[in-house]
Amino acid sequence: MARWEPHARQRLADAALELFAERGYEETTVLDIARRAGLAKSTFFRHFQDKRGVLFAEDAPAGPLVAAIAAAPAQAGPLDAVEYGLDALGRDVFTADRRPFTLRRRAVIEAHPDLREREALKEAGLTAAMGRAIAGRGVPGLAARVTAELGGLALKAAYERWSDPAGTEDFGDIARQTLDEIRSAVAEVRG
Amino acid sequence: MARWEPHARQRLADAALELFAERGYEETTVLDIARRAGLAKSTFFRHFQDKRGVLFAEDAPAGPLVAAIAAAPAQAGPLDAVEYGLDALGRDVFTADRRPFTLRRRAVIEAHPDLREREALKEAGLTAAMGRAIAGRGVPGLAARVTAELGGLALKAAYERWSDPAGTEDFGDIARQTLDEIRSAVAEVRG
């Protein structure tokens, strides 16, 4: 085994998603993943805690999202600040080169109830983080929570659209359009 | 042990919450709960799967919520239909006699990260059920999801207010007021 392991993390992640698709998530072991990547099992554990970590530890969208919401111009309204946040995700996290990985990741998650639960918790965590960032801009209690729920929905819906195999648009463009549609929908449902 | 066990389920639930408060959730066993209630361990397992079941299996708000949304008058708008749903919860699930149990339940959940995760999943499930019920009324995709997110927030915020120790109002009244505040907040945050 070479001691120099270029792109080990990405090779392990790609190997894992290949195997999850080929033989199923449950049936794939960490040893299988390391072998497919041509790396040692110990190398896997330097990069991930376990095989679920391949799907959930990779990106940390909360950081750039919260930072961009906080840094949005003072005159930006609550949902406008969310738009700055989603735009930052398109630049820093959901970049074009990450799209193939994301596509395969979603397919694995959709197929497993326990992974869908984990994904739902991650989404709830992102919504909560958005709520705190919006409240930090001086938006009062319930309005900050409304903004976070709508922002969380925008993020989820934009992520689904962006990871559609037929799509080609930037995440930022998709997110902006999704937020506009949510603004219109909100006017309809108020009743 | 008497074979006739009146109100066994409620006695077990009350005993469990007393013990969770006194000695902590982790430190309480099913045997402790059964003993405190003056019942056999086997009786506990006829009513609950495990001690977590005392906190999460008790009520199934999704049923009455979804039924009332589906049965709302045809001319009711999406958020108005949610109002019918929350009103049904006040009549059938979050009744005045359930308030003391709910207060203690919330305190236990707040104190444990894994129980908070379980609660977040339950909330996500209720939001999804609301979304399907609203879509079943012919509300198109994104508008149904927006309604569900706002309805889910209304349910969560109303539940928090209702289970505040200082509160005395009916759940239905609190929910109606919360939904009104959310309607106003939505107008503010659209930006």
Side-chain angles (χ1 to χ4, degrees):
Chain A
M1 191 69 59
R3 296 194 53 174
W4 183 64
E5 297 154 346
H7 312 299
R9 189 185 174 90
Q10 192 56 51
R11 278 162 61 193
L12 287 161
D14 289 341
L17 284 188
E18 270 174 35
L19 288 165
F20 294 165
E22 281 171 28
R23 62 179 78 163
Y25 175 76
E26 295 298 346
E27 289 68 31
T28 301
T29 67
V30 166
L31 185 60
D32 296 334
I33 296 169
R35 279 190 180 144
R36 172 69 62 100
L39 295 164
K41 197 169 160 182
S42 58
T43 306
F44 180 95
F45 287 114
R46 273 208 298 282
H47 290 280
F48 303 103
Q49 211 181 343
D50 52 29
K51 67 176 175 177
R52 207 170 70 159
V54 175
L55 300 170
F56 290 101
E58 176 87 14
D59 47 2
L65 180 64
V66 162
I69 289 175
Q75 71 274 19
L79 273 185
D80 299 326
V82 167
E83 199 168 316
Y84 279 90
L86 298 182
D87 207 53
L89 287 187
R91 280 194 314 275
D92 300 342
V93 181
F94 302 132
T95 49
D97 60 318
R98 289 290 311 278
R99 232 174 136 261
F101 178 89
T102 307
L103 283 174
R104 285 179 295 164
R105 174 184 180 274
R106 267 198 69 199
V108 177
I109 290 174
E110 295 293 326
H112 290 83
D114 57 320
L115 297 177
R116 286 205 303 271
E117 283 203 353
R118 184 68 193 72
E119 182 79 339
L121 280 175
K122 187 176 172 179
E123 287 165 1
L126 282 171
T127 297
M130 244 189 271
R132 288 189 296 272
I134 291 291
R137 295 177 59 81
V139 177
L142 199 60
R145 291 178 77 174
V146 164
T147 306
E149 296 297 338
L150 296 176
L153 175 58
L155 170 53
K156 203 160 39 177
Y159 181 77
E160 287 164 12
R161 291 173 179 187
W162 177 69
S163 60
D164 183 307
T168 55
E169 269 183 298
D170 279 352
F171 180 84
D173 293 336
I174 294 172
R176 234 181 322 278
Q177 193 188 322
T178 305
L179 256 183
D180 281 347
E181 291 174 31
I182 287 177
R183 284 191 177 94
S184 308
V186 150
E188 286 167 40
V189 306
R190 277 184 67 204
Chain B
M1 193 68 58
R3 296 193 54 175
W4 183 65
E5 297 154 347
H7 312 299
R9 189 184 173 91
Q10 193 57 50
R11 278 161 61 194
L12 287 161
D14 289 342
L17 285 187
E18 269 174 37
L19 288 166
F20 294 165
E22 280 171 29
R23 62 178 79 164
Y25 174 76
E26 294 298 346
E27 289 67 31
T28 301
T29 67
V30 166
L31 185 61
D32 296 335
I33 296 169
R35 278 188 181 147
R36 173 70 61 100
L39 294 164
K41 197 170 160 182
S42 57
T43 306
F44 180 94
F45 289 114
R46 273 208 298 284
H47 291 281
F48 303 102
Q49 210 181 343
D50 52 29
K51 68 176 174 176
R52 207 170 68 159
V54 176
L55 300 169
F56 290 102
E58 175 87 15
D59 47 1
L65 179 65
V66 162
I69 290 175
Q75 72 274 18
L79 272 184
D80 298 325
V82 166
E83 199 168 316
Y84 280 89
L86 298 182
D87 207 53
L89 287 187
R91 280 194 314 275
D92 300 342
V93 182
F94 302 132
T95 49
D97 60 319
R98 289 288 312 280
R99 233 176 134 259
F101 178 88
T102 306
L103 283 174
R104 285 178 295 163
R105 175 183 180 273
R106 267 197 69 198
V108 177
I109 290 175
E110 294 293 325
H112 289 84
D114 57 321
L115 297 178
R116 286 205 303 270
E117 283 203 353
R118 183 70 193 69
E119 182 80 337
L121 280 175
K122 187 176 172 179
E123 287 165 1
L126 281 171
T127 297
M130 244 189 271
R132 287 190 296 274
I134 291 290
R137 294 177 58 81
V139 177
L142 199 60
R145 293 178 75 176
V146 164
T147 306
E149 296 297 337
L150 296 176
L153 175 59
L155 171 52
K156 203 159 41 176
Y159 181 78
E160 287 164 11
R161 290 173 178 186
W162 177 69
S163 60
D164 183 307
T168 55
E169 268 183 297
D170 278 351
F171 180 84
D173 293 336
I174 294 173
R176 234 181 323 279
Q177 194 187 322
T178 305
L179 256 182
D180 281 346
E181 291 174 30
I182 287 177
R183 283 190 177 94
S184 308
V186 150
E188 286 168 41
V189 305
R190 277 183 68 204

